[in-house]
């Protein structure tokens, strides 16, 4: 869906969530998670849900500095 509707931030955020679960299981690199989260936030910077999911993903993957940066932005 993210590639079919590249301007829809919600698809990037769903991809972020799915990749975070895969990365937590060791099946995807954290860099892919953060890229998807960053794209979603860039598309809809005023969407608080996107920021919440990105912070959660960062905490889940142990990048607390990243989580703090997103939360304070």
């Amino acid at each position: 869906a993210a590639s079919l509707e590249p301007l829809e931030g919600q698809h990037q955020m769903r991809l972020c969530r799915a990749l975070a679960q895969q990365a937590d299981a060791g099946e995807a690199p954290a860099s892919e998670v953060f890229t998807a989260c960053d794209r979603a936030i860039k598309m809809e910077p005023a969407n608080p849900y996107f920021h919440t999911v990105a912070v959660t993903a960062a905490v889940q993957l142990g990048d607390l500095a990243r989580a703090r940066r997103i939360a304070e932005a």
Side-chain angles (χ1 to χ4, degrees):
S3 63
L4 294 175
E5 294 187 56
L7 300 179
E8 288 287 330
Q10 67 179 332
H11 299 306
Q12 287 296 323
M13 189 47 57
R14 289 183 183 135
L15 180 60
C16 168
R17 289 177 55 205
L19 286 170
Q21 291 177 348
Q22 290 179 343
D24 196 37
E27 299 171 359
S31 62
E32 287 185 27
V33 177
F34 300 142
T35 297
C37 291
D38 291 346
R39 276 193 211 126
I41 290 171
K42 187 174 181 180
M43 289 177 185
E44 296 185 37
N47 190 324
Y49 175 70
F50 289 7
H51 291 267
T52 301
V53 171
V55 168
T56 301
V59 169
Q60 181 179 355
L61 299 176
D63 192 338
L64 301 182
R66 180 182 185 81
R68 180 179 215 104
R69 276 194 313 273
I70 296 167
E72 292 177 346

